[in-house]
Amino acid sequence: AVYGPLLPRTVEVRAAGVRVMSDKQKPEIGAVGWFDLTVDDAETVRDFYEQVVGWTWQGHDMGDYEDYMMSTPGGRGVAGVCHARGPNVGLPPHWMLYVNVADLDESLARCKAMGGEQLGEVREMGAYGRVVYVKDPAGAALALIQPPA
């Protein structure tokens, strides 16, 4: 994920980066909070969305490469375009949605009990909370994210 899953209404994009806003605007549990697209050639896909839908982009240093946060022309972050490297190795090339949950461990246990499947390990995302990728019983992948308390 580019900056970890972010809710567009809970972040403000500035030239210096991303700043989390007030506690009054906590992520809504059960809401889709972010979208990432993981692909082999993130630059080509980044440029596609810049030209086709008018998104602007901001690079996010991933060490030896950059992923990209895509924003509306007004500066509201709406999605990430990521390379299929590092923490994103093995993710399928489709729009991954991140759903906010109150208790990641409980939601993951319920996912498995209901016929879902865990994809990889639970990851700590620092100021963005904890995330895990799962498949539902039909095989559709999504991310569950528990925002920080």
Side-chain angles (χ1 to χ4, degrees):
V2 172
Y3 288 95
L6 305 174
L7 281 172
R9 69 178 177 276
T10 63
V11 297
E12 180 179 321
V13 178
R14 296 184 175 224
V18 176
R19 178 176 69 84
V20 176
M21 295 172 77
S22 76
D23 288 340
K24 290 185 259 182
Q25 298 173 319
K26 291 266 188 202
E28 180 183 3
I29 301 304
V32 174
W34 190 250
F35 295 93
D36 269 340
L37 177 59
T38 298
V39 295
D40 290 330
D41 183 358
E43 287 83 9
T44 297
V45 174
R46 171 202 69 196
D47 294 345
F48 172 87
Y49 285 101
E50 181 179 40
Q51 294 299 312
V52 173
V53 300
W55 286 345
T56 60
W57 59 271
Q58 179 179 357
H60 179 66
D61 183 17
M62 298 298 290
D64 60 343
Y65 63 97
E66 277 191 327
D67 284 342
Y68 306 98
M69 184 172 86
M70 308 304 289
S71 300
T72 65
R76 183 171 61 86
V78 293
V81 173
C82 308
H83 287 89
R85 298 188 221 169
N88 296 328
V89 167
L91 292 179
H94 72 274
W95 283 104
M96 178 71 71
L97 63 97
Y98 290 73
V99 178
N100 301 316
V101 297
D103 183 321
L104 187 63
D105 296 322
E106 181 180 325
S107 291
L108 183 55
R110 288 181 180 179
C111 168
K112 293 174 183 177
M114 296 296 299
E117 175 186 350
Q118 181 175 345
L119 304 174
E121 298 299 315
V122 173
R123 296 186 345 200
E124 297 292 333
M125 301 291 288
Y128 305 110
R130 299 170 60 225
V131 67
V132 67
Y133 299 103
V134 299
K135 282 186 182 178
D136 69 17
L142 70 144
L144 305 174
I145 179 143
Q146 178 182 337

